């Protein structure tokens, strides 16, 4: 009897393992190098394709694309979050394009040159140029090389989140993306100048149906000696989030992750941001329609 029971348990364990086997992600990105006309140096870009992209039955299938800055670091957590969100039915399969911003990060991701006595145009304030690089060089290449559709998401964390918000305000490229994900964005930058621009852009957010997801970590006890800076940081994010919540057409979502710091909030907020970005896929959410206005 014990032998039979052992065999049954063994077979059950093998069956359970087989059921969980699809929950194994392998990150195998394609590395590209761009020599931009717009930027003074080359940039690496990693492309992670969804499972089954090359199967014959998917030869005519086209995919949405998620673009993320700080790609050397965030490609891993983003790709795995996209994969898992897809297999549990929360988002469609999508291509990930992770853009390297390690070199000249502050220059490429910030919108202005602060009057702080040490910042210069060579070190800060060139995000509009970097957005132009993505818009005019990276996106056309990806669309030509891979089977994409016109649903694009732009995501970023910290300075990358600030970059995401400035892209949503940039009339030259804002329509390139359907959804924006700004995770604990550095909205404090240069005395919260971009928060002021969000406030002045009410007509934009009242007229265009974007999805904009903004998240903040809230770890008051962990601020230590940097409490004043921390408060400026979260207050700027909160102001941004509430301005977007008030928009009549753009679907703004603002979430605060309690007891999570600037980095620990990333995993949860990225997953929820991806879900929010694709909530109305293949179209963009229109708050005025969903609310019956």
């Amino acid at each position: 009897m014990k032998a039979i029971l052992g065999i049954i348990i063994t077979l059950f364990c093998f069956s359970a393992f087989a059921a969980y086997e699809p929950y194994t992600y392998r990150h195998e990105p394609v590395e590209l190098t761009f020599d931009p006309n717009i930027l003074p140096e080359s940039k690496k870009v990693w492309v992670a394709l969804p499972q089954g992209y090359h199967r014959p039955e998917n030869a005519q299938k086209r995919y949405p694309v998620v673009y993320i800055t700080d790609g050397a670091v965030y490609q891993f957590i983003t790709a795995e979050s996209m994969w898992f969100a897809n297999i549990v039915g929360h988002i469609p399969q999508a291509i990930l394009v992770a853009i390297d911003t390690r070199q000249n990060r502050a220059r490429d991701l910030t919108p202005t040159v602060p009057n702080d006595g040490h910042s210069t145009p060579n070190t800060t304030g060139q995000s509009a140029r970097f957005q132009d690089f993505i818009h005019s060089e990276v996106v056309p290449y990806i669309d030509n090389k891979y089977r994409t559709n016109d649903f694009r998401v732009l995501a970023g964390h910290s300075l990358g989140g600030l970059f995401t918000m400035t892209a949503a305000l940039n009339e030259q490229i804002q329509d390139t993306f359907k959804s924006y994900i700004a995770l604990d964005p550095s909205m404090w930058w240069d005395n919260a100048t971009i928060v002021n621009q969000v406030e002045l852009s009410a007509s934009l957010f009242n007229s265009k149906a974007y999805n904009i997801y903004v998240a903040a970590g809230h770890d008051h006890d962990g601020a230590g000696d940097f409490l004043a800076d921390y408060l400026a940081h979260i207050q700027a994010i909160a102001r941004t989030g509430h301005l977007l919540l008030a928009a009549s057409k753009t679907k703004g979502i603002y979430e605060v992750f309690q007891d999570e710091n600037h980095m620990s909030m990333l995993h949860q907020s990225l997953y929820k941001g991806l879900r929010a970005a694709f909530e109305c896929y293949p179209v963009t959410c229109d708050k005025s329609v969903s609310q019956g206005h």
Side-chain angles (χ1 to χ4, degrees):
M1 183 65 182
K2 289 183 179 179
I4 294 173
L5 182 60
I7 293 171
I8 292 173
I9 292 173
T10 301
L11 290 174
F12 175 80
C13 290
F14 275 117
S15 176
F17 179 79
Y20 279 103
E21 193 170 359
Y23 290 84
T24 302
Y25 175 73
R26 294 177 178 85
H27 188 58
E28 299 174 337
V30 176
E31 182 179 292
L32 307 172
T33 300
F34 282 78
D35 293 309
N37 296 315
I38 296 170
L39 302 176
E41 70 280 323
S42 63
K43 291 290 183 185
K44 289 190 181 299
V45 172
W46 293 270
V47 179
L49 299 174
Q51 290 181 344
Y53 177 90
H54 293 296
R55 290 176 187 162
E57 63 268 28
N58 294 327
Q60 302 303 314
K61 185 176 179 179
R62 307 193 78 82
Y63 298 83
V65 186
V66 175
Y67 289 80
I68 191 164
T69 51
D70 293 316
V73 177
Y74 293 153
Q75 60 172 300
F76 306 97
I77 187 174
T78 308
E80 188 163 9
S81 294
M82 290 168 59
W83 162 79
F84 187 78
N86 170 254
I87 63 173
V88 297
H90 287 162
I91 71 170
Q93 282 194 317
I95 297 168
L96 172 65
V97 177
I99 303 170
D100 192 9
T101 45
R102 288 172 296 183
Q103 186 179 5
N104 300 308
R105 182 172 184 264
R107 183 200 71 186
D108 290 339
L109 297 182
T110 61
T112 57
V113 181
N115 186 20
D116 56 11
H118 59 81
S119 297
T120 72
N122 291 326
T123 59
T124 56
Q126 301 299 317
S127 64
R129 182 175 67 174
F130 198 66
Q131 288 159 17
D132 190 19
F133 160 62
I134 295 173
H135 167 70
S136 62
E137 300 194 38
V138 180
V139 170
Y141 178 89
I142 296 298
D143 285 349
N144 183 62
K145 177 76 173 177
Y146 301 99
R147 299 191 310 277
T148 64
N149 60 31
D150 66 351
F151 197 101
R152 304 183 193 91
V153 179
L154 179 63
H157 171 251
S158 192
L159 287 181
L162 174 68
F163 179 84
T164 295
M165 287 306 306
T166 59
L169 296 169
N170 185 340
E171 294 183 2
Q172 303 302 314
I173 75 157
Q174 59 193 202
D175 292 329
T176 302
F177 302 96
K178 305 289 189 186
S179 294
Y180 296 85
I181 302 172
L183 307 178
D184 218 36
S186 302
M187 302 303 292
W188 54 265
W189 180 264
D190 198 6
N191 296 314
T193 183
I194 296 304
V195 185
N196 296 332
Q197 288 189 31
V198 172
E199 187 169 20
L200 293 172
S201 299
S203 60
L204 166 67
F205 299 124
N206 289 335
S207 64
K208 291 193 175 182
Y210 296 129
N211 295 340
I212 301 182
Y213 177 88
V214 178
H218 191 280
D219 184 21
H220 188 279
D221 293 337
D225 296 335
F226 301 97
L227 182 59
D229 292 337
Y230 165 76
L231 290 175
H233 172 65
I234 62 170
Q235 287 167 1
I237 298 173
R239 188 175 156 211
T240 302
H242 287 296
L243 287 167
L244 293 171
L245 287 173
S248 62
K249 193 158 187 175
T250 292
K251 182 156 188 181
I253 299 175
Y254 170 51
E255 290 198 77
V256 178
F257 291 82
Q258 299 290 343
D259 300 320
E260 302 291 349
N261 61 36
H262 186 58
M263 293 304 298
S264 68
M265 59 84 67
L266 179 61
H267 194 280
Q268 297 178 65
S269 62
L270 176 58
Y271 189 90
K272 296 192 77 172
L274 288 166
R275 290 187 66 176
F278 287 100
E279 181 182 357
C280 300
Y281 181 81
V283 298
T284 305
C285 295
D286 186 327
K287 188 191 294 185
S288 62
V289 173
S290 63
Q291 292 180 343
H293 292 174

